């Protein structure tokens, strides 16, 4: 199986990779680029732990081939904070204790960020349904919803 | 596995028809990658059709919509005009997977993966959309209801794939809806799905109806008797009772890890009524 | 759990005092920033130079003899560097050890890790390979030829107990039965626990309710699959990075299974992506070590999600019979239960724990509990958050509800009439100390939730739960740096992320220095004395005992430095508000010395400042909780929706209140998932059909409402900060509370778990037919 050369932008960095056609974007991020912030919980798109955005669209990176990232703009958890400054969602997750073991947290943050970019003032129900693709086993989702509501309010300038 | 990304329809047909090994079309990948991961398929060639312009276009001409088979769920959800025209189809699209899955999944893929439980299929059937299929022998038109023939099997020949869907123009006072039953609120495969598309006359009498059931047979069913239960009626309680009975009678489900025969048969009738009620409201408004 | 309490176990009495730091919510949590930026390193995030990728070949059959294994083609595949089978691992004799809250038997542990004579469940490991890439490893597995003789299998616990059931182990004779049986059985053990005179108790009862319940196995559902990286050096030392709840126990198991000295094995616990009891057992670790030994390179092994479901440990599926009697005035006079718990392929379920928790919320005179531990062709069960308790609570808390209804007494009042309290004699031995059960009931009764109006097809249910707090071996070290900051090296794995902050708060409180000046670090097995598994809700409770002990020793050392400097006796120096001070004016006019000042002078006055603790913490401080749930039932589909949920639980003293709330909420939602949709589904070949998150249905965010929580504080008298374990109680009441709520909504008692839509709909239809028949009869 010949590897294919692809170029992509990940968190504003230009990246070049030699990638096997069978590798998913998740495999490429974790195994080729050592960007282990994006997690594998199931490999089949059922848990959301591998969430990234691709050209601004929220996707499961385990359901995208690495090759398909060619020419695209990928954003992962590693790009969410800007230098020393955490994104409001990251801060609110910490403030509200919206994470315990933390394995689902990167995926949830990426998914929540995508939500607030599309809908800056979501209702509780809208948040829950948007985040239904991200499984969490530790928190029961309660403090996650509160954190997202609080971050949304701050980002709206309330 | 080799990856190809043709930029024209002809190039894609050439690959799909010409390769000797197993060739798979890659649209959204939300089924194909799962199947590769589970070792259910081991394609020699993957043909990514997302670079072909016709497959990604959404256009409306004089009230009749044409949808590229590789348009994603999210792209459709972000199209207010299509949502207004075919809310029932969008009910189905909105239920595929999760937000992440809908960022990639396509109506063409949802149909051609041929799961009997696919959410966009029953409302696509009731919309009477026609698929444009291209292959080594040229193009042909196939009603959506005739694409899937059984679990994982379509009526497409080697080298063929669906390019786009042509929707008919919608008569006035029409409404469609799709409902499914799942044990959780999201993320589940439909245990039963039902789509209803109906048209009313000025007096509120149903002049046309079509009902499709998903997940209760080897492929999505068109239930004639269910439609007959609605046509000529004001879709009142008596019609609803007849509708439910017809839907339950038509269901031929199996017992599996997602539901029992008894449950699916019963709930087919319940969903038919509830979907018809929504379609009715939409037709009236 | 097999061990009588030691008279040498450590208890530190509760000290009521003004706290400055403990009980607040720290602004900086030790683990949080790394977790929200993706920098926290879980086991599968670790990569060692030159590493190989390991994979496991698993049985496709529920039960079969292994006639032969041929690995030659796999070994010849380019890129394959090592292959292991049963031939690479020594056989083990029968030997029991505690592994978290369950006991293990090494003879079975080695077989569960790698099959020897036979395979006993779909997913049972048969061989493992290490190769230069994952793709090659997967290919190599396909080249291994195993010759199986497929045998009849048995899945359900009731089927396995029948005399004609296929027998998993020809050498298994039911323990606890006299005289010793002559025929082998799937019933590995029979347990009995009695108090008073059960016959007399039933004779005194005016109302008797007898019911039978069945539950399916459920899985912990942690989002992080098991992952381990092992490096076997040329010098014969093994280093293992792995996601574990107890690295010292894992070290013991790895060393035992591979016949290595403990001192040659080092286990480094990585940040854990969820465990809930499921990471109390070794699976990949010994395989990775042996592959590394043979392949002469580090080996990384990560389970796929379907392997997690098929081959790690779910809970027991159970059959539970409950019979209880009470007077019309509402006093329980007799409580009896038969618990039939399946342990999976090898003996050792949570039955002993279930036996302890059955009735322990109630003050009873006459109790009889009989239990059976039963082997079946499923993966060996592991602990899952209050192992054994939810299933038996399903039975007892709904029967209690029925008794209350028969007496015409409110279910909370009925429980108050019979509530366990300080001094209550349990049926399994000890008397209860001060507990908060009654407080949780009273707060539930007064809660605003009870005033919410219920609509049609809506119902309310309550249920209560009890769990103990394990103590066990706990070790920690506190080091005071030259700059006056403190580092706590802790050895109880921080499974939730919150314990390390709790420890830091406690160390800061003890030392009298700001929270920000305390750093916590997880110590691997080379850094500390033995620490038992983080299980039994002991993480913060026991870990903090060792932290306190170690800190107080460091404080004693600092007082000694001051004493030497001031040339006074050590008992003339006290520690107050973060400083060493003269004990009184008569001692002398010495300026108090801060931690930093003492640290600067430490070397001259004898050596640097540290304190360490290696203690065995006494078990204690049981927790109790009361839950209230409102549900709505869709009568036409059987779907049950949770509308409102409230949970009130005694935490002893809340060290980190917001985190405790999060634990409550997480446990409750796991319980809701158990109640409504989670179950293992097997086909008629004994193969697991739902080995993934698509069809093993854990709750998603849109399935549950906000979970209201309230913390009751009845300090644990044996802990200096009054802490009780809190992690496990929350998962116990949801199953019965929801069953009681469904009854309140639609008048149907569900006794078959899970209470999924097809079951509820069928129950509704059956009831309609029954009611119609009854009406017909009445009309005649």
């Amino acid at each position: 199986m010949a590897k294919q050369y692809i170029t992509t932008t990940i968190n504003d960095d230009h990246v070049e990779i030699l990638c096997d056609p069978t590798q998913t974007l998740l495999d490429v991020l974790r195994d080729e680029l050592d960007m282990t912030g994006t997690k594998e919980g199931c490999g089949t798109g059922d848990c959301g732990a591998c969430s990234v955005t691709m050209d601004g669209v929220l996707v499961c990176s385990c359901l995208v081939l690495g090759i398909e990232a060619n020419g695209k703009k990928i954003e992962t958890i590693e790009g969410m904070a800007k230098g020393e400054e955490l994104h409001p969602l990251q801060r609110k997750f910490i403030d509200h204790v919206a994470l315990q073991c933390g394995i689902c947290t990167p995926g949830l943050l990426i998914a929540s960020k995508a939500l607030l970019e599309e809908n800056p003032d979501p209702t509780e129900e809208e948040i829950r349904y948007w985040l239904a693709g991200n499984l969490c086993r530790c928190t029961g989702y309660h403090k996650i919803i509160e954190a997202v509501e609080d971050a949304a309010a701050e980002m709206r300038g309330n | 596995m080799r990856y190809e990304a043709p930029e024209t329809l002809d190039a894609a047909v050439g690959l799909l028809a010409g390769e000797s090994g197993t060739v798979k079309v890659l649209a959204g990948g939300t089924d194909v990658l799962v199947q590769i991961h589970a070792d259910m398929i081991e394609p020699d060639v993957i043909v990514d059709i997302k670079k072909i312009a016709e497959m990604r276009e959404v256009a409306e001409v004089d009230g009749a919509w044409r949808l590229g088979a590789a348009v994603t769920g999210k792209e459709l959800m972000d199209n207010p005009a299509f949502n207004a025209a075919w809310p029932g189809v969008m009910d189905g699209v909105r239920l595929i997977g999760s937000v992440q899955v809908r960022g990639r999944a396509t109506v063409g893929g949802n149909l051609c993966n041929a799961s009997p439980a696919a959410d966009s299929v029953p409302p696509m059937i009731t919309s009477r959309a026609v698929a444009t299929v291209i292959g080594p022998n040229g193009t042909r038109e196939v009603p959506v209801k005739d694409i899937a023939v059984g679990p994982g099997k379509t009526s497409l020949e080697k080298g063929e794939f669906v390019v786009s869907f042509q929707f008919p123009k919608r008569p006035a006072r029409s409404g469609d809806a799709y409902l499914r039953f799942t044990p959780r609120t999201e993320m589940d495969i439909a245990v039963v799905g039902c789509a209803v598309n109906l048209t009313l006359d000025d007096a509120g009498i149903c002049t046309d109806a079509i009902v499709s059931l998903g997940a209760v047979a080897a492929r999505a069913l068109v239930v004639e008797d269910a439609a007959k239960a609605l046509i000529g009626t004001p879709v009142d309680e008596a019609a609803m009772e007849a509708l439910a009975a017809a839907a339950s009678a038509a269901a031929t489900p199996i017992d599996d890890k997602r539901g029992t025969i008894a449950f699916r048969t019963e709930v087919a009738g319940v969903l038919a009524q509830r979907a018809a009620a929504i379609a009715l409201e939409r037709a009236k408004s | 759990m097999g061990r009588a309490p030691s008279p040498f176990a450590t208890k530190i009495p509760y000290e009521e005092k003004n706290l400055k730091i403990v009980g607040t919510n720290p602004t900086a949590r030790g683990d949080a920033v790394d977790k929200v930026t993706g920098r926290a390193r879980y086991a599968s995030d670790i990569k060692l130079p030159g590493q190989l990728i390991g994979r496991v070949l698993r049985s496709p059959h529920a039960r079969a003899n292994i006639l032969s294994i041929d690995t030659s083609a796999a070994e010849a595949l380019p890129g394959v560097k090592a292959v292991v089978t049963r031939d690479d691992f020594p056989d083990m004799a029968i030997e029991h050890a505690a592994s978290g809250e369950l006991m293990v038997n090494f003879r079975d542990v080695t077989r569960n890790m790698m099959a020897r004579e036979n395979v006993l469940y779909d997913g049972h490991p048969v061989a493992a390979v290490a190769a230069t890439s994952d793709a090659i490893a997967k290919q190599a597995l396909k080249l291994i030829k195993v010759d199986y003789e497929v045998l009849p299998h048995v899945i359900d616990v009731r089927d396995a107990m029948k005399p004609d059931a296929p027998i998993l182990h020809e050498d298994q004779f039911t323990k606890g039965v006299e005289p010793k049986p002559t025929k082998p059985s799937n019933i590995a053990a029979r347990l009995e626990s009695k108090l008073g005179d059960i016959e007399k108790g039933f004779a005194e009862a005016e109302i008797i309710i007898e019911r039978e319940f069945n539950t399916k196995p459920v899985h912990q559902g942690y989002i992080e699959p098991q992952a381990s990286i092992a490096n076997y050096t040329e010098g014969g030392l093994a280093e293992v990075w792995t996601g574990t709840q107890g690295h010292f126990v894992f070290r013991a198991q790895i060393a035992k299974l591979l016949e290595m000295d403990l001192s040659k094995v080092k286990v480094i616990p990585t940040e854990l992506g969820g465990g809930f009891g499921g990471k109390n057992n070794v699976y990949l670790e010994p395989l990775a070590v042996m592959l590394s030994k043979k392949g002469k390179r580090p080996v990384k092994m990560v389970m796929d999600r379907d392997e997690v479901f098929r081959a790690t440990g779910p809970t027991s599926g159970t059959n539970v019979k409950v019979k209880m009697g009470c007077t019309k005035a509402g006093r329980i006079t007799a409580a009896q239960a038969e618990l039939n718990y399946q342990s999976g392929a090898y003996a050792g379920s949570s039955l002993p724990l279930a036996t302890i928790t059955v009735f322990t919320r109630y003050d009873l005179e006459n109790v009889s509990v009989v239990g059976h531990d039963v082997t079946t062709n499923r993966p060996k069960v592991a602990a899952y958050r209050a192992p054994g308790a939810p299933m038996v609570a399903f039975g007892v808390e709904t029967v209690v509800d029925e008794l209350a209804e028969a007496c015409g007494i409110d279910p909370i009042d009925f429980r108050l009439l019979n509530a366990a309290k300080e001094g209550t004699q349990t049926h399994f031995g000890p008397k209860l100390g001060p507990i908060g059960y009654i407080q949780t009931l009273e707060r539930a009764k007064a809660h605003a939730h009870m005033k919410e109006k219920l609509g049609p097809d809506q119902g309310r249910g309550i249920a209560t739960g009890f769990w103990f707090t394990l103590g066990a071996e706990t070790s920690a070290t506190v080091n005071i740096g030259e700059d006056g900051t403190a580092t706590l090296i802790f050895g109880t794995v921080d499974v939730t992320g919150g314990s390390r902050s709790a420890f830091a708060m406690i160390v800061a409180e003890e030392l009298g220095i700001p929270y920000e000046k305390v750093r916590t670090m997880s110590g691997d097995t080379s850094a500390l004395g033995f620490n038992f598994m983080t299980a039994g809700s002991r993480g913060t409770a026991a870990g903090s005992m060792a932290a306190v002990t170690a800190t107080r020793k460091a404080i004693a050392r600092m007082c000694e430095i001051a004493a030497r400097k001031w040339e006074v006796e050590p008992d003339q120096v006290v520690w107050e508000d973060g400083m060493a001070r003269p004990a009184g004016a008569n001692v002398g006019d010495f300026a108090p010395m801060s931690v930093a000042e003492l640290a600067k002078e430490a070397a001259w006055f004898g050596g640097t400042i540290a304190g360490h603790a290696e203690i065995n913490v006494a078990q204690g401080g049981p927790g109790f909780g009361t839950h209230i749930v409102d549900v709505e039932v869709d009568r036409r589909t059987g779907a049950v929706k949770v509308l409102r949920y409230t949970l009130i639980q005694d935490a002893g003293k809340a060290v980190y209140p917001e985190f405790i709330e999060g634990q409550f909420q997480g446990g409750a939602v796991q319980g809701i998932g158990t109640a409504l949709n989670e179950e293992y589904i097997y086909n008629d070949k004994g193969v697991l059909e739902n080995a993934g998150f698509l069809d093993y249905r854990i709750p998603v965010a849109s399935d549950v409402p906000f979970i209201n929580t309230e913390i009751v504080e009845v300090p644990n008298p044996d802990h200096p900060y009054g802490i009780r374990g809190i992690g496990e109680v929350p998962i116990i009441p949801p199953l019965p509370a929801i069953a009681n709520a469904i009854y309140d909504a639609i008048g149907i008692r569900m006794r078959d778990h899970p209470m999924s839509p097809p079951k509820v709909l069928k129950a509704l239809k059956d009831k309609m037919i029954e009611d119609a028949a009854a009406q017909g009869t009445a009309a005649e």
Side-chain angles (χ1 to χ4, degrees), chain A residues 4 16-17 28 34 40-41 43 47 70 89 99 122 136-138:
Chain A
Q4 240 167 290
E16 300 176 355
I17 312 157
V28 168
D34 293 335
E40 176 163 342
C47 77
N70 192 35
L89 278 164
L99 63 142
C136 174
R137 200 56 161 163
C138 293

Side-chain angles (χ1 to χ4, degrees), chain B residues 37 39 42 181 183-189 257-258 260 263 266-267 270 273-274, chain C residues 142 634 636-637 639 677 681 689 693-695 697-698 700 702-703 757-758 761 765:
Chain B
H37 186 270
D39 284 331
E42 278 184 63
F181 183 85
R184 295 181 293 184
T185 51
E186 286 282 304
M187 296 304 282
D188 285 334
I189 299 292
K257 63 192 171 196
R258 297 179 184 138
T260 60
F263 183 75
E266 172 76 23
V267 175
V270 175
Q273 290 181 336
R274 292 177 177 177
Chain C
K142 292 188 183 145
D634 181 339
R636 303 196 65 198
T637 63
N677 279 312
I681 302 172
E689 291 203 305
F693 278 132
L694 179 61
D695 290 306
R697 296 182 259 269
I698 78 172
V700 299
S702 43
D703 286 334
L761 189 63
K765 297 228 161 275

Side-chain angles (χ1 to χ4, degrees), chain C residues 197-439:
Chain C
D197 182 343
I198 195 73
E199 302 294 340
K200 174 169 163 288
F202 280 120
E204 288 168 6
E206 294 170 286
I207 297 166
I208 296 178
I209 306 258
E210 186 172 4
R211 302 282 181 233
E212 187 171 342
F213 302 82
N214 292 291
T215 71
K216 291 269 183 348
V218 296
H219 193 272
Q220 303 82 356
Y222 35 80
I223 306 299
E224 177 207 23
Q226 272 79 354
S228 308
I229 301 121
N231 185 31
Y232 191 96
T233 70
E234 292 297 332
L237 308 176
E239 318 168 281
V240 184
W241 289 259
T242 188
T244 171
Q245 295 178 232
H247 41 312
F248 291 86
V249 176
F250 273 35
R251 178 184 66 171
Q253 292 188 7
I254 293 165
K256 181 107 192 132
L257 294 167
L258 301 180
E259 289 180 333
M260 294 173 70
D261 290 344
L262 278 179
S263 53
K264 295 206 165 145
V265 180
K266 179 165 96 168
V267 181
I268 305 110
T270 51
E271 193 69 63
L272 196 67
F276 314 110
K279 293 182 178 163
N280 285 358
N281 302 89
V282 296
Y283 296 106
L284 299 172
E285 294 83 355
L287 305 180
V289 172
M290 193 53 81
L291 285 168
S292 177
K293 182 176 179 187
K294 285 180 95 169
K296 297 188 177 299
R297 284 160 69 164
V299 173
K300 179 171 176 175
M301 300 182 77
V302 181
M303 281 202 197
D304 282 342
R305 179 50 57 182
D306 74 290
E307 294 180 280
V308 175
F309 279 114
R310 289 166 71 207
T312 62
T315 60
S316 302
T318 70
N319 167 264
V320 171
K321 300 177 175 114
V322 176
K323 181 178 176 188
M324 295 175 76
C326 68
T327 63
K328 287 212 186 91
R331 263 301 278 158
I332 300 172
T333 58
Q336 180 178 295
E338 181 186 321
L339 314 180
N340 300 313
Y341 275 47
Q342 44 131 313
S343 60
Y346 301 99
S349 70
S350 56
L351 177 70
L353 303 170
T355 313
I356 289 174
T357 62
V358 178
F359 297 116
T360 312
R361 301 168 290 298
Y362 305 110
D363 185 25
L364 305 171
E365 277 181 26
N366 306 305
V367 178
S368 166
V369 179
V370 169
H372 299 108
D373 187 48
V374 183
T375 47
T376 57
N377 291 113
R378 296 168 173 269
K380 166 75 175 60
V381 306
Y384 175 20
R385 209 162 189 169
M391 304 78 115
V392 76
F394 185 36
V396 173
E397 289 296 297
T398 53
V399 168
V400 166
D401 229 48
E402 286 202 71
L403 289 175
E405 193 185 24
C407 294
I409 300 175
D410 167 85
I412 294 185
D413 288 335
F414 187 92
R415 287 170 173 84
L416 282 166
L417 276 170
N418 292 282
K421 48 191 178 297
E422 185 168 1
T424 293
Q425 174 66 55
T426 65
H427 66 274
F428 56 90
K431 285 201 165 103
L432 293 173
I435 55 170
Y437 183 48
I438 289 173
Q439 288 89 325

Side-chain angles (χ1 to χ4, degrees), chain A:
Chain A
M1 286 187 252
K3 293 199 179 190
Q4 240 167 290
Y5 171 79
I6 65 165
T7 67
T8 175
T9 307
I10 304 184
N11 301 329
D12 294 329
D13 287 334
H14 176 78
V15 175
E16 300 176 355
I17 312 157
L18 271 180
C19 134
D20 194 287
T22 55
Q23 280 180 302
T24 62
L25 175 57
L26 179 64
D27 294 334
V28 168
L29 286 169
R30 290 181 57 82
D31 299 334
E32 302 302 325
L33 298 171
D34 293 335
M35 292 178 71
T36 57
T38 308
K39 308 297 179 192
E40 176 163 342
C42 71
T44 52
D46 298 312
C47 77
C50 68
S51 299
V52 299
T53 61
M54 198 158 92
D55 284 352
V57 176
L58 180 66
V59 299
C60 279
S61 57
C62 73
L63 295 181
V64 176
L65 290 176
I67 289 178
E68 294 182 274
N70 192 35
K72 303 265 197 298
K73 196 164 138 50
I74 310 287
E75 283 179 15
T76 72
I77 186 68
E78 286 90 347
M80 194 157 169
K82 295 298 171 216
E84 290 300 316
E85 208 182 299
L86 293 179
H87 188 280
L89 278 164
Q90 290 171 305
R91 271 191 285 109
K92 294 298 182 185
F93 264 56
I94 295 176
D95 291 346
H96 285 267
V97 192
L99 63 142
Q100 291 178 32
C101 84
I103 195 82
C104 71
T105 304
L108 263 160
L109 284 168
I110 293 287
S112 303
K113 180 164 178 272
L115 166 64
L116 296 184
E117 277 161 11
E118 182 158 311
N119 179 357
D121 194 2
T123 62
E124 177 200 334
E125 195 180 20
E126 285 170 331
I127 297 172
R128 287 185 182 278
Y129 274 86
W130 182 278
L131 295 180
N134 290 81
L135 300 181
C136 174
R137 200 56 161 163
C138 293
T139 67
Y141 305 104
H142 181 124
K143 291 177 187 296
I144 292 172
I145 307 301
E146 286 181 340
V148 175
E149 285 177 332
D150 194 9
E154 182 185 301
M155 287 164 71
R156 287 194 307 272
N158 289 13

Side-chain angles (χ1 to χ4, degrees), chain C residues 21-36:
Chain C
I21 301 170
V22 171
T24 63
N25 291 306
T27 50
R29 220 176 93 184
D31 60 321
V33 184
D34 277 354
K35 286 178 177 172
V36 300

Side-chain angles (χ1 to χ4, degrees), chain C residues 455-512:
Chain C
D457 297 336
Q458 294 182 354
R460 180 166 297 150
I462 71 124
T464 64
F466 146 80
W467 196 258
F468 45 81
T469 309
L470 272 191
E473 303 97 307
T474 318
S475 307
T477 297
V478 168
N479 287 308
I480 305 293
E482 314 87 271
D483 61 353
T485 60
T487 302
L488 168 76
I489 307 175
F490 64 91
T492 39
V493 176
D494 184 6
V495 300
T496 62
S499 295
R500 72 199 80 171
S501 295
F503 297 154
M505 281 196 271
I506 286 169
V507 171
E509 188 85 53
E510 290 279 316
L511 287 172

